[in-house]
Amino acid sequence: MNMQIDFEQLAKVMGDGVVISDANGNIVFWNQAAERIFGYSAGEAVGKSLDIITPERFRERHWDGYRKSMQSGTTRYGSTLLTVPAIHKEGKALSIAFTVAMLTNEDGVVVAIAAVVRDDTERFQLDRSLKKRISELEAKV
């Protein structure tokens, strides 16, 4: 059986967020799961900068790394699962876990970065709570 897979359809229906941004960091693709995670509809997000989901205090570091990746055509993260702070449309803090992939044109020039994103806020808060409790218990010993 030789079946053609429609990857755009796949990206649209995935349970994880799929966010693709161009060389300038403007969002060009935003699936339904990204809508659920970040609160912005695709219509609100597409064409906007990644700043809409990047907390202000992390933007400089984010853009430094983004520009380096676009210039070099590589990312040091590859298949590494990254966990970083993000921000919801309503202003609430999120912790997201994601992987990134560099997308190239026919000439091999990087033209976009794709991220597959999962809301990791609940696990992050639980982990932080457990670490705090361990520290409290160790202090009593």
Side-chain angles (χ1 to χ4, degrees):
M1 181 169 122
N2 189 6
M3 181 176 134
Q4 290 290 349
I5 296 173
D6 181 341
F7 284 97
E8 185 171 350
Q9 178 190 21
L10 172 64
K12 284 180 180 178
V13 300
M14 285 179 60
D16 288 336
V18 177
V19 178
I20 302 175
S21 53
D22 66 15
N24 297 315
N26 295 315
I27 298 164
V28 297
F29 184 87
W30 186 267
N31 73 352
Q32 289 178 352
E35 291 181 1
R36 177 180 40 77
I37 293 166
F38 297 108
Y40 293 96
S41 69
E44 292 171 307
V46 171
K48 298 285 190 314
S49 163
L50 289 169
D51 283 349
I52 66 170
I53 60 172
T54 307
E56 193 169 338
R57 69 186 187 277
F58 296 105
R59 287 181 187 162
E60 185 176 346
R61 191 167 78 195
H62 162 79
W63 289 116
D64 285 346
Y66 196 94
R67 282 189 291 276
K68 285 177 186 168
S69 291
M70 293 309 296
Q71 290 168 356
S72 70
T74 62
T75 175
R76 64 181 182 170
Y77 300 111
S79 61
T80 303
L81 183 66
L82 303 171
T83 303
V84 300
I87 192 161
H88 188 274
K89 178 182 178 180
E90 297 170 356
K92 68 181 177 182
L94 300 171
S95 178
I96 58 170
F98 66 101
T99 55
V100 295
M102 309 301 284
L103 303 178
T104 59
N105 65 15
E106 312 78 45
D107 299 323
V109 175
V110 175
V111 294
I113 297 178
V116 177
V117 183
R118 180 169 291 171
D119 184 351
D120 199 37
T121 307
E122 189 175 319
R123 190 215 49 83
F124 177 79
Q125 290 173 341
L126 177 62
D127 190 49
R128 188 166 57 178
S129 168
L130 289 172
K131 286 178 181 175
K132 181 180 177 194
R133 184 68 180 133
I134 289 169
S135 292
E136 290 169 354
L137 290 171
E138 287 175 341
K140 289 181 180 182
V141 175

